Amino acid sequence: MQASKTIQDCLQWRAMNESCFHCGLPIPATADFPVRYREQAQATCCAGCQAVASTIIQSGLADYYQHRTAGARQAEPLPRELLEQIRLYDAEALQRSFVHIENEQVREASLMLEGITCAACVWLNEQHLSRLPGVLSVDIHYGSHRARVRWDTQRLRLSDILQAIHAIGYHAHPYDANRQEALQQRERKQTIKRLWVAGLSMMQVMMYAVPIYLDSAQEISADFLWLLHWASFILTLPVVLYSAVPFYRATWRDLKAHRVGMDTPISIGILTAFIASCWALLQRVEHGIYFDSVSMFVFLLLGGRYLESLAQRKAGAATESLIKLIPAFAHQLSDWPASHNSQQAAVTQLHKDDIILVKPGETIPVDGLVLAGNSASNEALLTGESRLLDKTEGDTVIAGSVNCTSPLVIRVERNGEDTRLASIVRLLDKALAEKPRLALLANHFASWFVTLLLLTAAATYLGWHYVDPDRALWVMVAVLVISCPCALSLATPTALTAAAGHLASLGILVTRGHALETLPKVSEVVFDKTGTLTYGELRLLDCLPMAVDDRSTVLQLAATLEQGSEHPLARALLAALPTDKMLPACSQLQSLPGQGLSGHIDGKPYWLGAPEFICQQLGLAQLPQPDWQADNTVIALANQQQLLALFAFGDAPRAEAAELIQQLKQQGLNVHLLSGDGDGAVSALAQRLAIPQQRARATPEDKLAYVSALQAQGKRVLMVGDGINDAPVLAKADVSLAMGAGTDVARASGDMILINNQLTLIAQAMKVARRTLHIIQQNLCWAAGYNLLALPLAISGHVTPWIASLGMATSSLLVVSNALRLLRRKS
């Protein structure tokens, strides 16, 4: 009885809806594949759709069918050949180009999804995959259809994930920028074709409409007049049946999901105007034919949408440009250094410790170490550093940078998803996948605004039907078209995407969506000391010549004694020496651990070391000026007769730190210094940089309490740090920025990352964030003001349908163009 009832319900449903519950395609007359959805029988077109729909419903994901805005792809059984191909992706060799290895068990794959048509598709895939045992996280970016899936290899294989995606009607492939570009080009070509048909039809129909509008004296004969109307009808058919199809599809998706979307009023307007014109043509009602308006506003709407898509693609180009930096092939040196003969090899097939040759002008395909050659690399797209960086033997190079001057022989250290470039792309994807509060509010408002608009259009029709029935329909069409809330939905996300792209080009990665929204509200900026405001390494701070006045001479002598040492003080001395200084030979070099060293330069003995060691060599009780640089490490240089110089070493402030602090104060921000270092070092740095509020010897718990106390006073805090001990306070702050050279834990906790450690970019980021908020406010005010002005004009009958379409398209374009101002290099 129950089975008979199900079949009977299903046949009754099909009689009303002749389309598949899952994919929306027509149901063959002989098909009998029912599914049970919320106590009602629904018909599907084939066994595949039945299986997929059952899987979705039984997995507890039935809400997908309520929220989707497009029909799913028709399900197809997984061919045996494809199943075998999917299983091949379990091999580590194939995974190298698109899978990042976090540790022995955890992997993260970058996948490209096909079949994504709306936000509900993203929701369904995320929910379905997250329920698989072993899947740790799933993030899908709707704009690029790129998915990042993390899983436990001991509980799940990559092929299981790919099969699970296929089981609900979608297809997943390893992310390939070229393949993605091909898909986007195909979509753009289809859009251009529709636009071309609409434009050609509009021009031809207007040629027939203009004589009719100008014939005030009725000089055109009635037969010829109706011939022009019939010609307009024929030329408008391709527009309605082909060019306007994207609007119908979107509306059909919305209606099947029991909701109204932004394309719903547009579709209603197009079809209403066309059907009414057809009725007037058949009834020979002369003043009710507006085929020219139909073709014109379809053309204007398509043109506006196309320009919007180009602008949005430009705004989100930061991630895509990074992905495309890596070349497909490299010159591999199999027998280096015995032979310099190279052969072409796929970059994805390179392994750690392989040797490659990168010629001048080529992009470096891997993270590696220079084994031979002297050149310069351009890392501007990755770090924002515009200067060429010298590269010589022993230096590291990063994938995506360009070798500019001479050939380099490089040993592969990291490849594919393990490179620094890949980690940057993952952070950008993470940020773009998050929806800031402003964007969510705008989309929520836009969704119910459409419903209100439809009710207003219906009320307008009824009102005009009693005032002037001949104009009622066209006034309603103008109301439907002119107030589409596209501009309202575009106002926030386009500006945020453009701002994130601009900051990425400067050298700041926005890794969480709320950062740009919160940054303009910050009143307090809290800095860590070591590695943030300072370099985090020993540097020569000062040199005090004693017996001679020539600073360079004593520095050269000290560097000569230290030139073969790997001690941090030796490296600091050598780094401070001018590059054009030649070091003389040093003989009889002797190192005394914990004290210093001695050697002969030009036959004369010299000593370099701790003050106590030098005093012992000279027979002194103590050195002159014993309190000089007391808070730093001091060493002395002497010969047989006398003390020659004192050298002070410490952690020096970054060259741009003082300028940054001054810029932040000029912006009205309060600056704090929070460090675990001793009182003397912290106080000295605070005084040097003019930071009024400081705290020394701060533990991670102290830092957390300090920031919490500021927040308890109602203040918004930006925290800037770099170390593991900064991770908790970075996570606690309202918005945080991690130094690019900091620890992995700190970078993971930061809302933004300063890739090239250029501190002055922080002040620039504050300005960009304020500009972003200002532009979002402009966009929202424009979108709201436009609707408040345009809607009354349309309701009162002062706007024709084609002018309404022009106004709607112009409104959206203005919002996008305003957001694109954030891409300008000057901030």
Side-chain angles (χ1 to χ4, degrees), residues 22 31 150 166 168 336 423 430 485 511 552 614-615 678 688 742 787 811:
H22 177 69
R150 293 173 65 248
H166 196 284
I168 55 173
W336 191 86
S423 67
K430 181 180 178 181
T511 62
S552 63
I614 299 300
C615 287
R688 182 170 178 177
N787 281 291
S811 173

Side-chain angles (χ1 to χ4, degrees), residues 253-302:
R253 297 167 192 162
D254 292 334
L255 294 178
K256 285 198 300 182
H258 308 292
R259 52 168 285 183
V260 289
M262 295 180 197
D263 287 323
T264 303
I266 294 175
S267 296
I268 293 175
I270 293 170
L271 291 175
T272 302
F274 180 72
I275 292 171
S277 295
C278 291
W279 179 86
L281 179 64
L282 294 174
Q283 298 296 320
R284 298 179 73 87
V285 178
E286 185 175 347
H287 297 292
I289 300 174
Y290 289 94
F291 292 119
D292 55 321
S293 294
V294 173
S295 60
M296 182 174 289
F297 70 68
V298 169
F299 171 75
L300 292 172
L301 290 171
L302 285 175

Side-chain angles (χ1 to χ4, degrees), residues 379-409:
E379 300 179 358
L381 279 176
L382 297 170
T383 65
E385 175 59 66
S386 58
R387 296 180 297 111
L388 295 182
L389 303 178
D390 293 333
K391 298 294 179 182
T392 187
E393 183 178 344
D395 290 340
T396 58
V397 292
I398 56 178
S401 58
V402 178
N403 181 29
C404 295
T405 57
S406 302
L408 290 175
V409 177

Side-chain angles (χ1 to χ4, degrees), residues 55-365:
T55 299
I56 293 172
I57 295 170
Q58 291 170 10
S59 298
L61 303 174
D63 285 347
Y64 162 72
Y65 290 107
Q66 178 181 354
H67 299 298
R68 66 176 178 174
T69 59
R73 294 173 56 151
Q74 185 176 24
E76 301 172 356
L78 196 61
R80 183 174 180 179
E81 296 80 4
L82 183 57
L83 182 60
E84 292 176 354
Q85 182 182 353
I86 285 176
R87 287 172 179 165
L88 290 176
Y89 286 122
D90 291 329
E92 289 191 8
L94 285 180
Q95 292 183 6
R96 190 177 297 114
S97 63
F98 66 97
V99 173
H100 170 62
I101 301 175
E102 291 191 11
N103 53 52
E104 293 182 0
Q105 294 181 221
V106 179
R107 302 287 189 273
E108 181 182 76
S110 177
L111 304 173
M112 179 173 65
L113 297 185
E114 289 188 20
I116 299 291
T117 56
C118 63
C121 297
V122 172
W123 176 86
L124 173 63
N125 278 274
E126 288 181 341
Q127 294 295 318
H128 182 63
L129 291 180
S130 63
R131 298 188 183 196
L132 294 177
V135 170
L136 304 178
S137 66
V138 184
D139 291 309
I140 300 175
H141 183 223
Y142 176 54
S144 63
H145 300 174
R146 184 165 58 250
R148 291 200 175 272
V149 185
R150 293 173 65 248
W151 78 97
D152 185 342
T153 56
Q154 293 191 350
R155 302 175 62 193
L156 196 68
R157 296 174 302 177
L158 178 59
S159 59
D160 297 329
I161 295 173
L162 299 178
Q163 289 182 56
I165 293 172
H166 196 284
I168 55 173
Y170 300 86
H171 298 291
H173 313 278
Y175 186 82
D176 183 340
N178 293 328
R179 184 171 184 173
Q180 181 76 350
E181 178 66 22
L183 289 174
Q184 291 176 348
Q185 285 186 356
R186 189 170 64 191
E187 292 175 0
R188 285 197 297 272
K189 288 178 180 178
Q190 186 75 3
T191 302
I192 290 173
K193 286 180 183 177
R194 297 185 192 278
L195 186 60
W196 180 82
V197 169
L200 185 63
S201 172
M202 177 194 70
M203 290 187 292
Q204 295 299 321
V205 172
M206 288 302 296
M207 288 176 61
Y208 299 146
V210 169
I212 298 174
Y213 291 143
L214 297 178
D215 185 32
S216 57
Q218 297 185 345
E219 296 176 354
I220 302 176
S221 65
D223 292 338
F224 190 73
L225 186 67
W226 287 107
L227 179 63
L228 293 177
H229 285 318
W230 277 103
S232 298
F233 163 74
I234 294 172
L235 289 169
T236 306
L237 277 176
V239 177
V240 176
L241 300 179
Y242 175 69
S243 295
V245 165
F247 302 117
Y248 307 151
R249 284 177 179 168
T251 301
W252 178 238
R253 297 167 192 162
D254 292 334
L255 294 178
K256 285 198 300 182
H258 308 292
R259 52 168 285 183
V260 289
M262 295 180 197
D263 287 323
T264 303
I266 294 175
S267 296
I268 293 175
I270 293 170
L271 291 175
T272 302
F274 180 72
I275 292 171
S277 295
C278 291
W279 179 86
L281 179 64
L282 294 174
Q283 298 296 320
R284 298 179 73 87
V285 178
E286 185 175 347
H287 297 292
I289 300 174
Y290 289 94
F291 292 119
D292 55 321
S293 294
V294 173
S295 60
M296 182 174 289
F297 70 68
V298 169
F299 171 75
L300 292 172
L301 290 171
L302 285 175
R305 291 282 175 92
Y306 178 67
L307 293 175
E308 284 171 25
S309 68
L310 293 181
Q312 285 183 299
R313 188 164 174 262
K314 181 179 179 182
T319 308
E320 299 303 317
S321 64
L322 290 176
I323 292 171
K324 295 173 184 176
L325 287 178
I326 301 298
F329 298 95
H331 308 290
Q332 186 172 8
L333 301 174
S334 301
D335 300 321
W336 191 86
S339 171
H340 287 268
N341 294 329
S342 64
Q343 57 186 14
Q344 289 273 39
V347 171
T348 56
Q349 299 302 315
L350 294 176
H351 298 81
K352 189 178 186 301
D353 296 329
D354 281 349
I355 310 299
I356 62 171
L357 173 68
V358 181
K359 299 177 181 179
E362 293 183 342
T363 299
I364 298 173

Side-chain angles (χ1 to χ4, degrees), residues 773-807:
L773 185 61
H774 187 55
I775 283 178
I776 288 174
Q777 291 170 345
Q778 288 178 347
N779 285 348
L780 291 174
C781 289
W782 163 255
Y786 163 79
N787 281 291
L788 289 174
L789 177 65
L791 197 57
L793 289 174
I795 293 173
S796 60
H798 290 88
V799 178
T800 61
W802 75 267
I803 292 178
S805 61
L806 179 62

Side-chain angles (χ1 to χ4, degrees), residues 539-546 551-559 569 573 576 607-609 611 623 628-629 632-638 643-650:
R539 296 197 172 205
L540 179 63
L541 301 180
D542 199 1
C543 171
L544 181 63
M546 306 293 289
R551 183 179 185 273
S552 63
T553 299
V554 293
L555 182 59
Q556 185 180 25
L557 289 171
L569 292 178
L573 264 174
W607 291 273
L608 180 69
L623 294 178
W628 181 74
Q629 295 283 353
N632 297 303
T633 301
V634 177
I635 63 173
L637 172 69
L643 178 68
L644 298 178
L646 297 177
F647 301 94
F649 296 86

